[in-house]
Amino acid sequence: MALNTILAAFLALPLPLVALVIRYGPLAPPSLPAWFLEWPGTFAAAAFALSFVLFFASLRRASLSGFLAFLIPVEGALIAGSVAAGLAVHRDFFTAAFQYALALPLPFLINARRAGRRGKPIIALSRAGYVLAAFYAQWIMMMGYAISTRAEPRPIESIVYNVYNLVLAIALFLASRALGLSGKHAVETGPDSLFVDGKDVTPAIGARKARILNAFATAPERTLRCPELQLALAGDEAALPEECHSCGADTKAASCGRYRVTYNGILELKKMLEFLEIGSIASGPNRRLVLSEGWRLILFEGIRLTAKKNKAPR
């Protein structure tokens, strides 16, 4: 509710903002209509109140389709009203029309995040929002350059309009980032637990495999060798068998019983990760060097992994 109120108030600003700047700016033209010169505050307040109510009502729509079906006509009406004011009162109202149009992606991205959907389309929308924010920022820099070089004849008015544009660009960037994060599957692994999108899947995967996955997630470059996996499973270096301490490039993997058990566990974990569409586990091209090169955890696209480290061995 608070976000809807703030967002609706922000989206409703262009028309009343332009009206106040035209009337009370340092270069207010004398050719303005008499009714506008007499009632600029009333015009700005009425425009803000009407825009706020319309935007607030559209933001409360639960479904994305219902939201768009309400928002697009609202934006169209405000753009048309701004164009009409630009023709009848002052050309600066065309600025409000452009600002209404440029602000349209912001509530769309916020509503798309609320829908709770994930996957490539949501990530693509997030990237599109980043691109739009970059274009808006570039436009603001161009206007700033024009103002600083005195190429812009009305610097005060341009600064006021572009402060709104700057806030819009920042809000669009933050909304795109929030949408991108929400579009990814959240995977949280602990020493003996695994959560996918907030659901505990530890009983399905098993505590042993969850510990192996956590070891991969917290390892440098998400790569582990067999001795390091044995340490993660044992939890204490003192509990490691002697053969694990002396394991090296000369050790034959086929002659080590612990390696065979670990290898089978890795294969089962790999199948489980692929089934859950989280990722996979890969070894190097030369299987003879598996003890020295180890295995690497590879995440699929659209996965956001957070890991809690195991307690340091005593």
Side-chain angles (χ1 to χ4, degrees):
M1 184 67 68
L3 179 60
N4 285 347
T5 303
I6 295 172
L7 184 58
F10 176 74
L11 295 174
L13 280 177
L15 197 57
L17 179 65
V18 172
L20 294 176
V21 169
I22 292 173
R23 178 63 182 86
Y24 299 108
L27 297 177
S31 59
L32 292 172
W35 65 267
F36 183 81
L37 289 172
E38 188 174 357
W39 305 102
T42 303
F43 176 83
F48 178 81
L50 178 61
S51 303
F52 174 83
V53 170
L54 291 174
F55 277 122
F56 188 80
S58 64
L59 291 171
R60 296 196 65 183
R61 300 281 172 162
S63 66
L64 186 59
S65 58
F67 165 75
L68 290 176
F70 198 93
L71 179 66
I72 292 177
V74 168
E75 286 276 1
L78 291 173
I79 291 173
S82 299
V83 172
L87 295 173
V89 181
H90 192 273
R91 64 181 183 181
D92 271 17
F93 280 106
F94 291 121
T95 300
F98 281 107
Q99 287 177 330
Y100 282 127
L102 294 175
L104 180 59
L106 176 60
F108 175 73
L109 292 178
I110 292 177
N111 191 274
R113 178 177 178 270
R114 290 173 178 173
R117 298 177 183 176
R118 295 183 174 87
K120 292 183 180 179
I122 296 299
I123 296 176
L125 279 177
S126 172
R127 292 172 180 172
Y130 282 128
V131 173
L132 288 175
F135 278 127
Y136 294 177
Q138 185 179 12
W139 168 257
I140 294 168
M141 288 187 289
M142 292 172 60
M143 289 302 301
Y145 177 77
I147 293 172
S148 63
T149 57
R150 300 184 180 180
E152 171 58 51
R154 304 171 68 221
I156 302 300
E157 290 85 345
S158 296
I159 289 174
V160 173
Y161 299 150
N162 280 283
V163 166
Y164 180 88
N165 295 337
L166 177 61
V167 176
L168 174 61
I170 295 173
L172 187 60
F173 174 83
L174 294 177
S176 301
R177 182 178 182 275
L179 179 63
L181 292 176
S182 68
K184 295 182 178 181
H185 290 284
V187 178
E188 181 180 348
T189 173
D192 296 293
S193 62
L194 176 63
F195 290 83
V196 179
D197 294 333
K199 298 179 180 179
D200 187 4
V201 298
T202 310
I205 195 174
R208 178 183 175 87
K209 295 185 184 65
R211 180 170 293 190
I212 294 176
L213 178 59
N214 179 255
F216 273 110
T218 56
E221 299 182 1
R222 295 175 182 157
T223 301
L224 288 175
R225 299 184 305 112
C226 184
E228 295 161 346
L229 282 170
Q230 299 297 338
L231 177 60
L233 291 172
D236 192 340
E237 191 171 356
L240 279 177
E242 184 62 31
E243 59 266 28
C244 292
H245 289 283
S246 58
C247 182
D250 297 333
T251 304
K252 294 183 179 180
S255 62
C256 179
R258 287 186 173 273
Y259 167 79
R260 290 195 296 269
V261 174
T262 302
Y263 178 76
N264 291 333
I266 291 293
L267 286 181
E268 294 175 3
L269 177 60
K270 175 182 177 181
K271 294 177 182 178
M272 186 65 69
L273 293 177
E274 292 174 351
F275 175 77
L276 294 173
E277 297 183 349
I278 295 174
S280 184
I281 297 176
S283 58
N286 191 345
R287 292 188 177 182
R288 296 181 179 180
L289 301 177
V290 67
L291 287 178
S292 59
E293 295 180 353
W295 299 273
R296 183 183 180 189
L297 172 65
I298 301 174
L299 298 177
F300 291 160
E301 186 179 0
I303 299 297
R304 178 164 52 95
L305 177 66
T306 56
K308 298 179 181 179
K309 292 186 177 181
N310 286 304
K311 295 181 180 179
R314 295 179 181 178

